[in-house]
């Protein structure tokens, strides 16, 4: 049975299928002919940064450092490109593999994902040639130049998939900066402040590395292509369509299926349990809930904890949040999504939502955030 995913949903891939270790991740979309849409995969560690430069897989570097992830053009009419993921060979340092779409030189040409439709991601068990799940993005973007479609991630020794489906301003260079890919600045300061990439511009030439690899003789050693550094010179501030993000977040909250990790039942939809309004003298509630809350607290970084300290009455102004995150080189939408991923793992729901000009804690989690703030203050 093929699972049709919605934005924010997570599914278990290998808990009940330990032999599912070779995946085909296919991507498709419709765009104007002049658009050059690129796919990329970032192999990330615990800090959500690439483990090494060779673990950024894109048109200029089609194979990851140890060959566990490779990018290929698809001959099928149902998808344009695909990744082959050998989960058995993925380094233990890699905790996530994030799949993205970007428009080549989007800022230079003014192209955005508003004109890209029918974006789909397919997960196929390659050994059985069996489709496992599909994530169709059936909503529209606006001024975004990049989309994070989804993420493969490890959890308690198994691999899962998170349907992210979030668009971001900027382009490939902004994603590279956020994921820790080294960025070079051009010497010529007279040119317009736009990100540029230095592979050949012709799409066929840009994927020559993939074609050459497939056409090589059996037994031939294929050298790992050198890392392409993104050339970046920009003075503009990244802007997000907060209203759109908030709308999609609210839609997602109504659609997301919650999964019971403890019993491996990923297909059952359940209602989230609200936090009790009467808090015990201890930091968290007792029993299973206490363990879940404590586990969530320990996933928070110092940046996360300090950020939550800034909340008053369960909210913080977007401008204040951006100013704080700017000091740490983080983008707001990515940061909120990361905290919500941690909350989904341990609280079975999102913790934060972007609403108009504020970031708010979901009402049922306001007492929990207050207790987190109290614990942080006590630790310091």
């Amino acid at each position: 049975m093929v699972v049709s995913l919605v934005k924010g949903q997570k599914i278990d891939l290998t808990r009940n299928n330990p032999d599912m270790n070779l995946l085909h991740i296919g991507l498709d979309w419709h765009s104007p002919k002049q658009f050059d849409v690129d796919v990329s995969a970032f192999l990330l560690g615990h800090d959500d940064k690439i483990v090494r430069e060779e673990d950024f897989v894109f048109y200029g570097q089609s194979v990851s450092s140890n060959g566990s992830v490779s990018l290929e053009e698809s001959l099928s009419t149902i998808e344009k490109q695909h990744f082959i993921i050998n989960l058995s060979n993925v380094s233990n340092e890699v905790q996530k593999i994030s799949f993205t779409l970007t428009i080549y030189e989007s800022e230079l040409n003014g192209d955005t994902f508003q004109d890209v439709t029918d974006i789909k991601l397919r997960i196929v068990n390659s050994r059985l040639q069996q489709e496992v799940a599909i994530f169709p993005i059936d909503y529209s973007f606006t001024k975004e130049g990049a989309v994070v479609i989804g993420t493969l991630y490890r959890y308690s020794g198994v691999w899962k998939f998170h349907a992210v489906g979030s668009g971001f301003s900027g382009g490939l260079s902004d994603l590279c900066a956020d994921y820790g890919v080294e960025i070079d600045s051009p010497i010529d300061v007279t040119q317009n402040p736009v990100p540029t990439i230095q592979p050949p511009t012709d799409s066929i030439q840009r994927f020559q590395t993939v074609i050459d690899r497939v056409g090589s003789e059996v037994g031939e050693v294929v050298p790992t292509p050198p890392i392409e550094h993104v050339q970046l010179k920009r003075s503009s501030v990244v802007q997000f369509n907060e209203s759109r993000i908030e709308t999609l977040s609210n839609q997602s909250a109504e659609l997301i299926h919650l999964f019971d990790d403890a019993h491996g039942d990923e297909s059952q939809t359940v209602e989230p349990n609200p936090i009790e309004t009467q808090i015990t003298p201890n930091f968290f509630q007792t029993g299973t809930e206490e363990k879940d809350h404590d586990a969530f607290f320990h996933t928070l970084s110092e940046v996360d904890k300090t950020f939550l300290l800034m909340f008053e009455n369960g909210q913080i102004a977007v401008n204040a949040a951006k100013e704080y995150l700017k000091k740490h080189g983080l983008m707001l939408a990515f940061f909120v999504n990361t905290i919500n991923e941690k909350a989904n793992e341990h609280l079975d729901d999102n913790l934060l939502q972007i609403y108009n000009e504020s970031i708010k804690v979901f009402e049922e989690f306001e007492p929990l955030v207050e207790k987190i703030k109290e614990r942080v203050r006590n630790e310091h």
Side-chain angles (χ1 to χ4, degrees):
M1 177 180 178
V2 180
V3 179
S4 182
L5 304 173
V6 297
K7 177 180 169 67
Q9 186 173 347
K10 299 180 179 182
I11 60 169
D12 190 318
L13 294 177
T14 63
R15 185 191 302 275
N16 298 319
N17 299 283
D19 295 331
M20 190 191 295
N21 53 18
L22 190 63
L23 298 180
H24 171 118
I25 306 294
L27 298 131
D28 192 43
W29 62 87
H30 289 164
S31 63
K33 291 183 179 179
Q34 72 272 19
F35 278 29
D36 200 350
V37 178
D38 297 318
V39 304
S40 303
F42 296 83
L43 282 67
L44 310 174
H46 287 284
D47 58 355
D48 287 331
K49 306 294 183 184
I50 60 167
V51 175
R52 52 187 63 82
E53 286 187 341
E54 294 79 8
D55 286 335
F56 166 36
V57 180
F58 69 123
Y59 56 78
Q61 182 169 257
S62 59
V63 184
S64 64
S65 60
N66 67 350
S68 60
V69 178
S70 60
L71 170 64
E72 301 176 357
E73 278 194 285
S74 294
L75 300 177
S76 169
T77 59
I78 63 174
E79 62 187 29
K80 291 183 173 62
Q81 291 177 251
H82 65 265
F83 291 94
I84 297 297
I85 318 290
N86 190 330
L87 296 177
S88 300
N89 291 345
V90 174
S91 167
N92 291 332
E93 300 170 280
V94 175
Q95 296 299 306
K96 297 180 181 178
I97 304 174
S98 182
F99 303 99
T100 70
L101 287 183
T102 55
I103 300 173
Y104 184 64
E105 294 188 337
S106 59
E107 291 186 327
L108 178 63
N109 300 321
D111 301 330
T112 69
F113 274 93
Q114 183 175 11
D115 299 311
V116 180
T117 59
D118 297 324
I119 299 173
K120 297 182 182 68
L121 180 146
R122 299 169 60 239
I123 303 176
V124 179
N125 183 337
S126 284
R127 297 199 186 283
L128 300 179
Q129 288 298 298
Q130 182 180 68
E131 191 172 64
V132 176
I134 183 170
F135 176 33
I137 296 182
D138 55 2
Y139 47 87
S140 301
F141 295 104
T142 53
K143 298 179 180 180
E144 299 89 341
V147 175
V148 176
I149 302 181
T151 303
L152 278 174
Y153 67 101
R154 298 181 196 261
Y155 180 74
S156 298
V158 300
W159 284 95
K160 298 187 176 186
F161 180 79
H162 179 200
V164 179
S166 295
F168 301 99
S169 297
L172 181 59
S173 56
D174 295 279
L175 288 175
C176 287
D178 194 77
Y179 287 138
V181 178
E182 182 180 348
I183 295 174
D184 293 338
S185 297
I187 298 175
D188 185 0
V189 297
T190 63
Q191 298 185 11
N192 293 330
V194 295
T196 61
I197 305 174
Q198 289 189 329
T201 56
D202 183 86
S203 60
I204 297 177
Q205 291 178 344
R206 290 165 63 199
F207 282 94
Q208 192 64 45
T209 301
V210 177
I211 297 172
D212 288 345
R213 181 172 64 79
V214 174
S216 62
E217 296 181 0
V218 176
E220 179 183 352
V221 177
V222 180
T224 301
I227 182 69
E228 293 283 347
H229 295 305
V230 177
Q231 297 286 333
L232 176 64
K233 185 182 186 305
R234 58 188 293 123
S235 58
S236 59
V237 177
V238 176
Q239 297 292 330
F240 295 96
N241 188 328
E242 308 292 356
S243 177
R244 180 62 178 161
I245 293 174
E246 184 273 330
T247 299
L248 294 178
S249 177
N250 287 342
Q251 291 173 349
S252 300
E254 298 174 358
L255 297 174
I256 292 174
H257 295 279
L258 302 175
F259 303 98
D260 186 357
D261 289 324
H263 297 86
D265 183 7
E266 295 285 348
S267 61
Q268 182 180 2
T269 302
V270 297
E271 295 295 329
N273 293 323
I275 304 298
E276 296 292 335
T277 55
Q278 297 297 323
I279 306 297
T280 65
N282 296 326
F283 173 58
F284 293 131
Q285 304 292 326
T286 58
T288 302
E289 188 177 63
E290 178 183 1
K291 293 179 181 179
D292 291 341
H293 293 177
D294 192 61
F296 170 64
F297 179 84
H298 287 294
T299 66
L300 299 176
S301 67
E302 288 302 315
V303 173
D304 298 340
K305 294 174 184 176
T306 303
F307 180 75
L308 292 178
L309 279 175
M310 299 169 63
F311 279 70
E312 295 294 335
N313 298 320
Q315 62 182 331
I316 182 178
V318 165
N319 288 340
K322 286 183 176 179
E323 187 66 26
Y324 168 74
L325 295 174
K326 183 179 179 181
K327 298 176 183 178
H328 297 277
L330 299 170
M331 293 194 294
L332 178 62
F334 273 109
F335 184 78
V336 170
N337 185 66
T338 298
I339 290 183
N340 281 339
E341 281 188 353
K342 297 174 182 178
N344 268 283
E345 288 298 338
H346 300 287
L347 309 178
D348 288 334
D349 205 349
N350 289 338
L351 182 76
L352 305 176
Q353 61 175 326
I354 300 176
Y355 185 79
N356 293 332
E357 297 302 317
S358 300
I359 302 172
K360 295 186 177 182
V361 178
F362 281 99
E363 184 177 1
E364 62 268 31
F365 291 130
E366 287 182 10
L368 173 61
V369 170
E370 290 303 311
K371 286 298 179 181
I372 289 176
K373 290 166 61 177
E374 177 184 335
R375 181 167 177 176
V376 173
R377 293 190 187 102
N378 290 338
E379 288 184 345
H380 291 81

